[in-house]
Structures are given as structure tokens and as C-alpha cells.
Amino acid sequence: MFLPGWGGPGQLRAKVLPDRQRRSLDDLQEDLDLSSGDSRSKQSAFWTMLTLSAVIAACGILTDSTATVIGAMIIAPLSTPIMGIALGAVQRRHSTAGAFVALGCLLVILVGAVASLVVPQSYDLLTNGLISGRTSPGLLDLVSALATGFAGAVALARKDVAAVLPGVAIAISLVPPLVVTGVCAGQTAWWLALGALVLFLSNLFALVFAGMAVYTVLGYTRTAGRRTLHRPRRAHVMLGLLFAAVLLPLGANTVATVLLNTWTLRARSAAERWLTQTPGAAVTSVDARSRTLYIHVRSPGDLPPIDGLLDALRGQVPDGVPIVVDSTRGRQITAGQVGD
């Protein structure tokens, strides 16, 4: 089923990429293949801009500056060889793009690890929003990466929409999660590093998948007279398996996040009921850290018995979850575990 007035697949392709705006395959390959044409100049620009982007991203992340990280995203050239992988797969030819992506990832992670040397060992990485936001990816991150990949592939294939490429660079998160991976690894926070790496991999596979889909539909296939790779299906199958492997942790993390938000809301409601008989008392916030629920309350006087809170929480959150009540009067009470 197609939108009214758009016709069949051929007309849809013509509207997405009119012939007069279509870039030639040679022009597209010249931009995406760092080993063709003036390869020395292209590779020099790639490594220079990638290094600077990693340094800028590291500074922005460690200073919790969103504007600085956005600047690093704009100049990051890592999406070029990633789209080169997609074009090479569509053309069924060998490409050096994968090597540039792999080496580029190692470079950025190394920059992040070096930057972590200035971070005190006592520093809580999760207090930095730019780090915590990239260590717990979900399915929405994958959907966003897919949409960005489609936008980037179409923009590269058209002559008239190059102006949107900076926006595409901002929308896709490539260098920042790699820097976060290096920073967290340098602080031996291995689970956080793994979460940031999963975010990058999901973006990587989403870009390749979207690029392959767009370039196939738009007709950027290898001409019949040129040599192609044998057994091209194997590459597509491997990409599908890797894509599925990324979906599993993203899906599991999304479910965990939804459950955690549900339990947090229930804990807040239970705590508000617990304080109803205390004049002037209120729940300011509820958050979860290290598998513990922290209930922050404001009260001008003494708090009600903690047993009442545990009773109110029974059946609202899983049994065995540690509960800590944090009062603005300067007291922190370890209430115990639900179900005790």
C-alpha cells in the first residue's frame, strides 16, 4: 500500500530521488571510499578530524557540556566509512571501509581511556548525564539510528540536500559513545563501558542496514559487467545475525527500564500514602541506584514508623528490594527490604 498520488515502487523511488538530483555511482563511491581517488588526502582528513572529534567529545563529556559534544558530532567523519560499508555490500565488492571503521573505533576508545586519567577514582560516573545517558541504550535508540541512517543515505545520494548532513551528524551518536566506552573502561566500570559500546554497535548496524536498503532501492548496484563477490548472501546473513544480537540487549534493557519506572512510580505513591498523617511532609523524589530504591522526603517533624512504609510497598515492588529513606532534616534511614 502506497500513499495517494505516489504510485508504485518506481514512482516512489523517482519522487524520493529524482533523476536530475541523482548523484552518479562514481561520485558516491568517490565520497565514501577512502581508498579511491586521492586516497592520501582523504585518509589524512579522516584521521585528523576523527582525532579532533574524539578529543572534543572527551572534553565535552568530562565537563558535562552538551554543546561541546554536539560540536564533536558535527565534525566526526566516522559515518563516511560506515556508509561505505553499506555501499560496498550493495555492490557486492570488497571494501576497505570496515578496516577504517574498526581502527577509527579503537582510536576514539583510546582517546577516551586517556581522558579518564584526569577523572578521580572516587568520581561517580552516573552523576554525569552525558555518560549515564549513553550507558543504558534501549529500542528507541535503535529506531532513531535507523531513521537517521535512512536520512543520511538519501542525503548522500541527492545533489540538493547536502545541507542536511550536519543535522544527520548530530542525530546519530557515533563518537560520543565510543569516548564514553573508553572513559568507563579507564575507570574499570566495565558494565557501563559495555552499555556504551552496545549503543555504538546498534547505531553502526542501523546505519549499515538503512544504507543498504536505500542504495538497493535507489539502484546503486554494481553493473553487470563488473566482477562481484562470491556468496554475497553470507555477508547479508552475518549482518542480520549481528543486528539481532544487538536487539537482544536493547530489548532487555528497554523492558528493565519500563519495569524500573513502574516500580519507582508505585514506590512514590506508596510513600505519599505513608506520609498522609504527617502534616507538612511530602515526597520530593524517588530514584533507583545500584538495585536500591531511594525515597527522598521533606518533613518538618519526625517521620512515621518505617514499618508502615514497608507495608505500603508490599505488592507494589518486588520482594527483597532494599529501601532507603532520605530526609531533608539530614537523616538517612535504611528502611529494610520489601517483604521482610
Side-chain angles (χ1 to χ4, degrees):
M1 183 177 181
F2 298 94
L3 294 175
W6 283 69
Q11 294 184 25
L12 177 61
R13 183 175 67 181
K15 289 184 177 294
V16 173
L17 184 60
D19 289 338
R20 64 181 180 277
Q21 297 297 343
R22 178 189 295 269
R23 299 184 63 195
S24 68
L25 176 59
D26 290 337
D27 287 343
L28 188 60
Q29 185 171 325
E30 176 69 20
D31 284 350
L32 298 181
D33 189 351
L34 299 179
S35 298
S36 65
D38 189 0
S39 59
R40 178 174 296 182
S41 296
K42 289 194 291 186
Q43 292 175 22
S44 173
F46 173 79
W47 292 116
T48 300
M49 297 307 292
L50 183 61
T51 303
L52 292 175
S53 173
V55 173
I56 294 171
C59 294
I61 287 170
L62 294 181
T63 58
D64 204 3
S65 172
T66 302
T68 304
V69 173
I70 290 176
M73 288 174 165
I74 293 176
I75 68 171
L78 200 54
S79 61
T80 297
I82 291 176
M83 282 300 178
I85 294 175
L87 185 62
V90 167
Q91 294 178 308
R92 300 178 181 178
R93 62 177 178 82
H94 288 294
S95 172
T96 60
F100 282 103
V101 172
L103 293 175
C105 290
L106 291 177
L107 171 64
V108 177
I109 292 175
L110 180 61
V111 170
V114 172
S116 72
L117 296 177
V118 304
V119 179
Q121 288 293 330
S122 59
Y123 180 72
D124 185 0
L125 295 174
L126 292 179
T127 60
N128 186 319
L130 294 179
I131 293 179
S132 61
R134 290 179 170 85
T135 56
S136 185
L139 289 177
L140 288 180
D141 294 296
L142 183 61
V143 173
S144 174
L146 281 170
T148 303
F150 283 120
V154 172
L156 287 169
R158 293 183 59 129
K159 299 177 181 178
D160 59 340
V161 291
V164 308
L165 288 177
V168 172
I170 295 173
I172 190 67
S173 189
L174 293 173
V175 167
L178 287 174
V179 171
V180 171
T181 300
V183 170
C184 293
Q187 292 289 298
T188 65
W190 302 114
W191 280 111
L192 297 181
L194 180 61
L197 184 60
V198 169
L199 174 60
F200 169 77
L201 291 177
S202 67
N203 291 341
L204 168 64
F205 294 137
L207 281 177
V208 174
F209 178 83
M212 290 174 61
V214 169
Y215 295 142
T216 299
V217 170
L218 297 182
Y220 286 104
T221 54
R222 198 88 172 157
T223 55
R226 298 183 183 179
R227 186 179 179 182
T228 61
L229 289 174
H230 296 293
R231 296 176 291 180
R233 293 181 180 177
R234 178 175 297 180
H236 291 75
V237 170
M238 288 300 299
L239 178 63
L241 291 175
L242 292 172
F243 200 75
V246 169
L247 277 175
L248 292 176
L250 291 181
N253 191 65
T254 299
V255 172
T257 301
V258 171
L259 289 175
L260 187 61
N261 289 338
T262 300
W263 295 334
T264 300
L265 291 174
R266 290 178 178 177
R268 185 184 185 100
S269 297
E272 288 173 347
R273 293 196 302 271
W274 171 60
L275 293 175
T276 52
Q277 302 302 320
T278 304
V283 179
T284 57
S285 65
V286 178
D287 59 79
R289 299 195 304 270
S290 301
R291 302 179 182 177
T292 300
L293 277 177
Y294 289 83
I295 301 176
H296 306 276
V297 301
R298 182 183 66 249
S299 175
D302 292 333
L303 296 174
I306 294 299
D307 290 342
L309 174 61
L310 295 178
D311 290 339
L313 288 172
R314 188 171 288 112
Q316 301 300 310
V317 299
D319 291 345
V321 174
I323 304 296
V324 174
V325 177
D326 189 17
S327 171
T328 53
R329 295 183 64 191
R331 294 186 303 162
Q332 189 176 80
I333 306 170
T334 302
Q337 294 184 349
V338 179
D340 286 351

